[in-house]
Amino acid sequence: MRIARLFPFTLTAVITHANINTFWARVLVEELARSGVRDVVISPGSRSTPLVLAFAAHPDIEDHSVIDERSAAFHALGIAKASRRPVALLCTSGTAAANYLPALCEADAAHVPLIVCTADRPTELRHSGAPQTMDQAGLYGNRARYFHDLPQAEADRAKLRALRAIVCHAVARALGPLPGPVHLNIPFRKPLEPLPPERSFDALPPDWTDSVEEEVAGRRDGRAWTSTMHWGNSAHSEALRFQLLDLLLRAQRPLILAGPHTPDDGYRDALLAFAEEHSVPVLAEAASNVRYGPPSPLVFGSSDLLLRSGVFRSRVKPDLLVQIGSAPTNSAMQRFIDELDDVPFVVLTPTADRADPSHRATLHVIGQPCAIIGDLATAMRNYPPAGRDTDWLPMFRDADAAARSGLDTALAGIEESFEGKVFARLRSLLPVDGALFLSSSMPIRDAETFLAVSEKDTAVFFNRGVNGIDGILSTALGVARERPCVLVTGDVAVLHNLNALAGEGLRALKLTVVLLNNSGGEIFELLPVRDFEPAFTKHFVTPHSTNFPALFTAFGVKHTVAQSWEHFDGSFREALRHDGVAVIEVRTEIRSSGELRRAVLRDVAEVVDAAMKGHSRQPSDLRIPFPLSWNDHGGEGLPVVLLHGFTRDASSWRALHRALGARRIITIDLMGHGASPSPAYERFPETWTLDGAAMRIEDVLKTLGIARAHIVGYSLGARTALTFALGYPKRLASLALLSGNPGMEDAAMRSARSQQDAQLAETILTDGLARFVQAWSIAPLFEAQRYAHPSAWRKAVAERRKGCSRGFASSLRGSGQGAQESMWKQLAELACPVFAAAGTQDPVYADVARRIASEKEAELCLFENCGHDLPLEQPIALALALTTFWTGVENRQP
């Protein structure tokens, strides 16, 4: 059967998604392609069949066949070294994967990015004696920068999100900052071919066939599910840095989630300063080390209470979500994130580890949050203030005030022992400049709910790496060596670690322990398992009836049982004055505490519901869909906006940019090129037109606060620049058209060109990116460049290989010369000065430039020994001509 290359997400093709395996493989390969993989080296075998067919069908990835896996791995190593791109490897299950090891050792030592994909038998066949089955998990040991044993293919949307996120993360880890090999182990059940499934649970859901939901169809802007940038690594992440800045400048309803974060000098101040300067509300977790301290009007600590209000959740619809630190402790917050479809979700973490259990992050930024926040704040000051929804902050303020007032009222009526009231009283009792250690399980959750605010500048510590309750007392004693510490913990956690007090000098450390003793595991009372007795009490609650006074007395530790709330307050203050470990035990009852908790939270939710009724739901989208990617290179004087040609991107202006010196340069990636979006042409045809591009360029200039600029366009960029000039004439100080054509005046010629463009677009999708780039790069347009500037020509070819078939094909269909109406008449009426240039070895465009100069009285510049690509072939001469032209324009204008 002939394998046709698929247009991404086109489901009517020779290969159909007859079962979940073929769909799963297609998604994996698509995310690799969107993440920048352009080559795969495949060795033969059966278990890898779904991936072989998916790789062979993808137009952006060139598939190479090498029979022997050892040779295949070294072949991929060579491609990656020469191209400086990540390269995929694919083999079947069993010893085939072991043959990759020698090349992976070299890739590890030489820092070469390889994406190793090993097919595997389904999990139920492992360790069963099934043929060609061995343990492939962690096969390459520490040679791999990252390993993931992928889940079994399954028609589950959450697992599909996970698959996309994992693949993107693997590519990011391969790319660095310490590049090297990564390993994805991928199990498949039969059927491995695109045939009807043998089991009903392997069938593809009917509604997935034409679904446009992002988890099924992929990001609608055509980008990778999750992009990753290392802050400060400008060579690798410059475009993503400006994308993040663009999101912040555009957002009308931005929201910051401050997740668990280790105390860090300067972090809280930097975040609060940023939030207040740019009017961004911050939902701060108890463990964020942002919630407690001098109050800020932008920090809200009642998120757990707010998100229990159905009305609040229905009103709060951010258009940008930024999470800083670890994944949320708060389960309500996690559900809130899960519900946010199509919302840009940025995660900032200090390490490369993921903090995205919902698998929804669109951008993962790695670096020290304090530095990132400071850099963003500085950058944003260069542009106009973002336009915020006027009801956004008032909504949070009203809801937060209602939640805290409702909580105080509800707790005031509770006289019996209740964990929630303990935390409410700690608000005023915590020591200044001390530490609060929150045990895992219920204490950290209760602090999240009931300790919404405290003006005490208290550093919060926790063991949330793997959320265990063992070692809590020992860890808190370690913190107490550095500063006085208050530990809030449960009885089971103390029993896990009671021997922590045995040791020289440990009991002399200044640690105040609030022991919440309900004689068991209270957290399980919040789960549905509480209805399943007797196993619930015996194996989950695990009642113990431990005599804590006797235990602590035996250790020589001061111990008090709180008899009332007033007694608790006095005992706590006395414990703070005590030199050494002091324990205050608060005894509660699991069932009654659970009932009180549910009643309090229900009452508070009703108060928040009522407060929110004065706020209408006003979801705000970004100003326009699919904004273009831009880069502000800085500099002086009237800005210069550079628009690249077809199949190129903003990087193609490097040489000209250097030659222009101190000029302020703005480069923009046109739709389907570089870092800009590539939405499906069939769904969003208007975004691919020249008028659509002009509208998006206008949007960029508004975002950057640029009133007027010199616009320079090359080839496709020239036609786009002219369209922009005609639509937004007041924005232009001047217009420079490099190898640009205002259009075909003959309708029949335009129709014929439109058909040619459509055929070429189809060829790109069927033959694939590599073959198209090869053919396009040796076209007569670039013949002069190929022979006179071979090094530059090779760089252009390599840059084109970074593009995507969907983007190039859609650009041809929507913005090709066949789709372009003639602009000759409008050009003559254009008021701004015009510069027309071409190379003498490109006679067609040289004649067009002469006609432009004649009909528009434009300044004409023809470059000798130069072909079509002026910016690449003659950057210095072009920079001199443009600078002279701009100087004359600026001297003539008031």
Side-chain angles (χ1 to χ4, degrees):
M1 178 177 69
R2 175 180 173 269
I3 299 175
R5 292 195 176 273
L6 300 180
F7 183 82
F9 303 124
T10 296
L11 302 176
T12 54
V14 175
I15 294 180
T16 60
H17 300 300
N19 56 61
I20 191 61
N21 282 340
T22 54
F23 185 84
W24 195 260
R26 194 271 293 174
V27 168
L28 187 152
V29 170
E30 177 63 19
E31 289 301 333
L32 287 175
R34 292 188 182 201
S35 298
V37 174
R38 291 294 177 265
D39 294 272
V40 60
V41 181
I42 300 172
S43 296
S46 175
R47 190 58 54 170
S48 53
T49 297
L51 286 167
V52 171
L53 298 181
F55 273 120
H58 201 286
D60 288 349
I61 298 180
E62 188 172 9
D63 49 314
H64 313 279
S65 178
V66 177
I67 296 173
D68 172 66
E69 287 82 6
R70 181 173 179 274
S71 298
F74 279 105
H75 191 80
L77 183 77
I79 297 173
K81 283 190 171 194
S83 68
R84 291 182 291 182
R85 293 191 304 267
V87 174
L89 271 164
L90 174 63
C91 69
T92 189
S93 62
T95 58
N99 287 287
Y100 283 160
L101 183 58
L104 263 64
C105 291
E106 177 63 23
D108 170 36
H111 310 308
V112 179
L114 296 179
I115 317 297
V116 179
C117 300
T118 58
D120 202 353
R121 301 288 166 131
T123 53
E124 64 267 22
L125 291 183
R126 296 180 187 177
H127 309 290
S128 68
Q132 204 173 331
T133 303
M134 70 179 201
D135 189 354
Q136 298 176 194
L139 180 62
Y140 308 114
N142 61 5
R143 299 289 187 271
R145 299 287 185 272
Y146 172 75
F147 166 73
H148 202 106
D149 198 2
L150 287 176
Q152 191 79 46
E154 184 179 346
D156 178 85
R157 281 176 163 79
K159 284 191 175 182
L160 197 55
R161 288 200 305 270
L163 172 66
R164 293 183 185 278
I166 291 164
V167 172
C168 293
H169 182 66
V171 177
R173 294 294 293 269
L175 288 171
L178 183 66
V182 298
H183 178 200
L184 297 176
N185 194 56
I186 310 152
F188 287 112
R189 283 190 292 262
K190 290 184 177 181
L192 303 172
E193 299 78 13
L195 300 171
E198 297 174 0
R199 304 170 182 85
S200 60
F201 52 76
D202 287 332
L204 197 69
D207 62 327
W208 282 23
T209 302
D210 55 359
S211 174
V212 296
E213 294 181 8
E214 285 200 334
E215 56 207 349
V216 177
R219 297 288 185 205
R220 65 193 188 108
D221 62 7
R223 293 182 173 123
W225 187 258
T226 304
S227 299
T228 301
M229 67 173 293
H230 295 268
W231 196 261
N233 185 353
S234 59
H236 179 61
S237 301
E238 186 175 35
L240 291 175
R241 183 165 65 92
F242 281 100
Q243 281 183 32
L244 175 56
L245 183 59
D246 184 75
L247 287 170
L248 289 166
L249 291 171
R250 293 172 181 279
Q252 298 174 26
R253 295 162 71 95
L255 177 61
I256 292 175
L257 308 180
H261 190 280
T262 302
D264 177 9
D265 290 343
Y267 165 62
R268 183 179 190 270
D269 291 342
L271 178 56
L272 267 55
F274 178 88
E276 291 170 13
E277 182 177 358
H278 299 289
S279 301
V280 184
V282 178
L283 289 180
E285 284 208 6
S288 67
N289 280 290
V290 172
R291 182 185 288 190
Y292 309 130
S296 165
L298 275 299
V299 174
F300 305 98
S302 57
S303 57
D304 186 58
L305 301 172
L306 299 178
L307 293 171
R308 294 175 187 273
S309 161
V311 181
F312 180 83
R313 290 198 311 274
S314 69
R315 300 290 194 272
V316 176
K317 299 296 180 184
D319 56 11
L320 173 63
L321 192 63
V322 179
Q323 173 189 303
I324 305 176
S326 301
T329 300
N330 186 336
S331 59
M333 179 62 73
Q334 195 58 60
R335 289 193 297 272
F336 174 70
I337 294 173
D338 285 342
E339 294 168 359
L340 291 177
D341 294 327
D342 301 332
V343 174
F345 179 28
V346 180
V347 176
L348 274 62
T349 62
T351 70
D353 296 329
R354 295 178 62 219
D356 176 30
S358 67
H359 309 293
R360 288 199 179 276
T362 50
L363 177 61
H364 181 192
V365 183
I366 302 168
Q368 290 304 315
C370 186
I372 295 172
I373 293 164
D375 289 349
L376 288 172
T378 300
M380 289 179 71
R381 294 188 193 109
N382 296 325
Y383 306 108
R388 304 297 191 217
D389 186 325
T390 56
D391 193 38
W392 189 232
L393 280 176
M395 185 163 52
F396 278 93
R397 288 172 179 151
D398 290 352
D400 180 69
R404 289 191 286 113
S405 173
L407 180 63
D408 289 344
T409 301
L411 292 177
I414 297 175
E415 292 299 327
E416 57 265 57
S417 290
F418 172 49
E419 294 86 350
K421 193 157 183 173
V422 170
F423 283 93
R425 299 187 85 82
L426 286 177
R427 183 171 66 190
S428 59
L429 294 173
L430 288 172
V432 176
D433 198 31
L436 172 63
F437 198 104
L438 297 171
S439 175
S440 296
S441 196
M442 283 307 297
I444 195 167
R445 289 173 171 82
D446 281 341
E448 180 64 22
T449 304
F450 299 106
L451 188 55
V453 64
S454 173
E455 294 188 11
K456 303 294 182 66
D457 195 3
T458 302
V460 180
F461 293 86
F462 43 87
N463 281 354
R464 295 300 289 175
V466 288
N467 303 349
I469 64 169
D470 47 333
I472 293 295
L473 187 54
S474 291
T475 312
L477 285 166
V479 172
R481 287 191 180 276
E482 300 295 325
R483 64 178 84 185
C485 182
V486 174
L487 166 66
V488 185
T489 185
D491 50 296
V492 176
V494 168
L495 289 175
H496 260 269
N497 194 209
L498 193 59
N499 64 346
L501 297 168
E504 183 65 31
L506 291 175
R507 294 186 295 279
L509 295 172
K510 200 166 181 58
L511 176 68
T512 299
V513 181
V514 178
L515 171 58
L516 305 175
N517 180 12
N518 51 32
S519 190
E522 184 190 8
I523 191 169
F524 299 108
E525 212 279 332
L526 304 180
L527 303 176
V529 73
R530 69 175 180 267
D531 296 328
F532 295 87
E533 292 287 10
F536 171 66
T537 298
K538 181 177 181 180
H539 296 294
F540 293 88
V541 176
T542 58
H544 49 80
S545 302
T546 300
N547 187 338
F548 280 110
L551 280 177
F552 286 113
T553 299
F555 275 103
V557 170
K558 178 180 175 62
H559 176 274
T560 305
V561 178
Q563 303 298 325
S564 66
W565 292 116
E566 291 72 19
H567 186 218
F568 172 82
D569 293 353
S571 299
F572 189 90
R573 294 189 180 97
E574 183 180 346
L576 292 180
R577 293 190 293 269
H578 176 69
D579 289 328
V581 178
V583 178
I584 306 163
E585 183 179 347
V586 180
R587 295 175 178 173
T588 64
E589 198 279 320
I590 285 181
R591 291 282 180 175
S592 61
S593 284
E595 292 170 1
L596 280 171
R597 186 186 310 276
R598 286 186 284 273
V600 168
L601 295 178
R602 183 171 56 249
D603 291 346
V604 175
E606 290 176 356
V607 172
V608 176
D609 283 347
M612 292 300 295
K613 290 182 179 177
H615 299 275
S616 61
R617 178 179 175 181
Q618 299 174 0
S620 299
D621 295 326
L622 298 178
R623 284 199 293 263
I624 61 168
F626 310 119
L628 298 177
S629 176
W630 52 269
N631 189 331
D632 187 348
H633 300 272
E636 302 171 356
L638 203 61
V640 175
V641 178
L642 303 178
L643 304 176
H644 61 79
F646 177 60
T647 73
R648 302 301 299 280
D649 58 33
S651 65
S652 64
W653 295 106
R654 284 196 206 100
L656 179 66
H657 180 198
R658 287 194 296 268
L660 288 174
R663 280 267 179 184
R664 183 185 177 189
I665 302 296
I666 311 293
T667 55
I668 297 176
D669 283 332
L670 296 176
M671 192 68 72
H673 295 74
S676 278
S678 294
Y681 180 85
E682 292 79 4
R683 289 187 61 203
F684 308 102
E686 69 285 351
T687 65
W688 292 99
T689 63
L690 292 175
D691 287 334
M695 180 178 70
R696 284 163 176 78
I697 293 167
E698 163 69 359
D699 182 69
V700 170
L701 297 188
K702 279 185 179 179
T703 299
L704 302 184
I706 295 174
R708 293 173 68 250
H710 297 293
I711 309 295
V712 180
Y714 156 65
S715 193
L716 167 64
R719 296 185 289 109
T720 306
L722 179 54
T723 305
F724 175 77
L726 297 174
Y728 306 92
K730 293 183 179 180
R731 289 284 189 190
L732 270 74
S734 72
L735 172 66
L737 304 175
L738 315 179
S739 302
N741 190 342
M744 299 177 181
E745 295 167 290
D746 183 272
M749 291 180 64
R750 282 202 306 274
S751 177
R753 180 58 182 264
S754 179
Q755 292 179 20
Q756 292 175 14
D757 288 345
Q759 290 173 0
L760 179 56
E762 186 63 27
T763 299
I764 295 172
L765 299 174
T766 54
D767 289 356
L769 181 68
R771 289 183 63 183
F772 163 70
V773 167
Q774 181 182 21
W776 183 258
S777 299
I778 61 174
L781 277 177
F782 308 110
E783 187 172 356
Q785 176 191 117
R786 183 183 176 192
Y787 292 106
H789 309 278
S791 177
W793 177 81
R794 282 194 298 272
K795 286 183 180 179
V797 173
E799 287 173 3
R800 290 186 179 106
R801 281 293 311 274
K802 295 178 182 178
C804 72
S805 302
R806 175 180 49 245
F808 293 166
S810 299
S811 179
L812 272 175
R813 295 168 72 183
S815 300
Q817 291 195 43
Q820 171 190 335
E821 295 291 331
S822 172
M823 294 181 279
W824 281 102
K825 290 182 179 179
Q826 296 97 310
L827 171 65
E829 299 167 1
L830 193 62
C832 72
V834 175
F835 175 93
T840 57
Q841 294 182 357
D842 182 14
V844 173
Y845 280 89
D847 286 345
V848 171
R850 292 187 186 98
R851 181 180 171 187
I852 292 173
S854 172
E855 296 191 12
K856 179 63 185 70
E857 297 183 358
E859 184 164 328
L860 175 66
C861 190
L862 298 178
F863 293 87
E864 297 292 334
N865 302 316
C866 185
H868 188 71
D869 194 342
L870 305 181
L872 188 145
E873 297 175 40
Q874 295 284 356
I876 297 175
L878 177 59
L880 178 61
L882 285 171
T883 301
T884 303
F885 170 65
W886 293 330
T887 300
V889 169
E890 291 166 2
N891 288 340
R892 290 194 299 271
Q893 293 178 350

